Amino acid sequence: MSTGDRKKILIIIPSLEEGGAERVLVNLLRRLDYSRFEVDLCVVENRGIYFNDIPEQVKVITIFDSSLLCRIFSNVHIRFNINYLYKLIVNRKIQKHYNTGISFLDSSFTDILFFLGNKTEKKIAWVHSSYQTYRNFKKFFTDRYTKRVINFRYRLLDHIVFVSEDSRSEFRQIFGEFRSMKVIYNMIDAADVLSKADEAIDENFDYELINIVALGVLLPVKAYDKLIEAAALLKKDGLGFKIRILGNGYLEPQLRQLIERLDVADVVELKGFRSNPYPFLKSSQVFVMTSVSEGLPTALCEAMVLGLPAVVTDSSGCRELVGYGEFGIMTEQTTEGIYSGLKALISSKESREYFSKKSLQRAEIFNDTKVLAQVTGLISE
């Protein structure tokens, strides 16, 4: 295929900050066939950790270098629908014509596709969230704003893609039915995960203990406070374990205070963000996810690729991946529930071995070739 015959694709992402959707996007961009596609990536707010991971074939466009300006324009758009200057800035930055425009992380920034008018022929939004359980949903989605996004966003999109059945189901209950609502699971670059898991890390693992790992940003949606409280109960039982939490976020000071107050610093560590978390996963015996809400949790998918037995809370996305308890232990979203689930795996080697096999079995649904074919088929139409 000649250069002129390639499909021109615009992908919009709010930022390249630490997060599952951002990692999934990097995985996808690494696997695209650039003899078929010419890709521009629009990063709305010029911040994040993944810029160096974007393939050299992808042209990166940034809209705002200032976080403050980005918030101002976004809030004025959401609250008042005043967009003249916003549209002007966007159109000065993005000047080409595209066969397909994709908002890879559905948000108010999806409306940039419409700011561009006829510059994007086909418009697609990817929904990575579960809106019913999204903690800020009621803050932003007033009745008036909800009606606006239904009429002037979702009804005008050619496709809405969801990363899980749960995510699509919750979306339908809030916004209704639209003409094309597909489920495409996230692309997990299994070969890359397995390869990076073998890299050396500066960390001592005591294999006399059960090493437990959690991976994700330190935000309320991850409910790490309940995980730390559960650790206090496990310690009280005299069980041998160590929990490592990998990720950054504004809750770090509060979580450190909770660790000190509950006297669990010897069994819970906040390890910060790791660009390669996979050796931590591979060196652990249990993966735990205590989220209140997920679309399709990338970290859980990656843990399953590595065969970790999983304990997850009964939340959207998580429950679907573990098959409501078939492929991992699912607990209530409570301290006591998390405690019980972890205790079951800490106390039983047989349970860990059983759910390790179930994780590997479940990881087969993240077949990279199948997912890539679904994505490329969608953008090639």
Side-chain angles (χ1 to χ4, degrees), residues 193-212:
V193 170
L194 293 167
S195 174
K196 288 182 176 177
D198 288 329
E199 292 181 10
I201 52 171
D202 183 19
E203 181 75 14
N204 294 318
F205 284 82
D206 182 352
Y207 292 106
E208 295 296 318
L209 307 174
I210 301 302
N211 294 282
I212 301 166

Side-chain angles (χ1 to χ4, degrees), residues 3 26 54 62 69 93 102 113-114 123-124 134 138 160 210 244 252 267 287 304 334 337 340 350 359-360 363 376:
T3 302
V26 169
I54 303 301
T62 58
L69 275 180
K93 295 278 190 171
I102 300 170
L113 293 173
F114 301 102
K123 298 172 176 63
I124 302 171
Y134 176 52
K138 290 182 179 178
I160 307 173
I210 301 302
R244 294 173 175 86
E252 182 175 344
V267 293
F287 177 83
M304 287 179 155
T334 62
S340 297
E350 291 76 17
S359 278
L360 289 171
T376 54

Side-chain angles (χ1 to χ4, degrees), residues 82-147:
I82 298 173
N83 304 306
Y84 175 78
L85 188 55
Y86 195 174
K87 289 180 181 179
L88 191 65
I89 293 169
V90 166
N91 279 277
R92 281 185 176 175
K93 295 278 190 171
I94 304 172
Q95 299 186 355
K96 285 167 54 175
H97 177 276
Y98 300 92
N99 301 105
T100 302
I102 300 170
S103 173
F104 196 73
L105 184 54
D106 182 48
S107 65
S108 67
F109 299 126
T110 298
D111 295 337
I112 288 174
L113 293 173
F114 301 102
F115 293 174
L116 294 170
N118 294 328
K119 287 181 182 176
T120 55
E121 295 174 14
K122 182 168 62 178
K123 298 172 176 63
I124 302 171
W126 237 266
V127 178
H128 288 261
S129 301
S130 292
Y131 284 123
Q132 272 189 327
T133 45
Y134 176 52
R135 65 184 290 269
N136 283 327
F137 180 84
K138 290 182 179 178
K139 176 180 176 182
F140 295 110
F141 283 84
T142 61
D143 288 342
R144 183 178 178 183
Y145 184 59
T146 299
K147 289 177 182 176

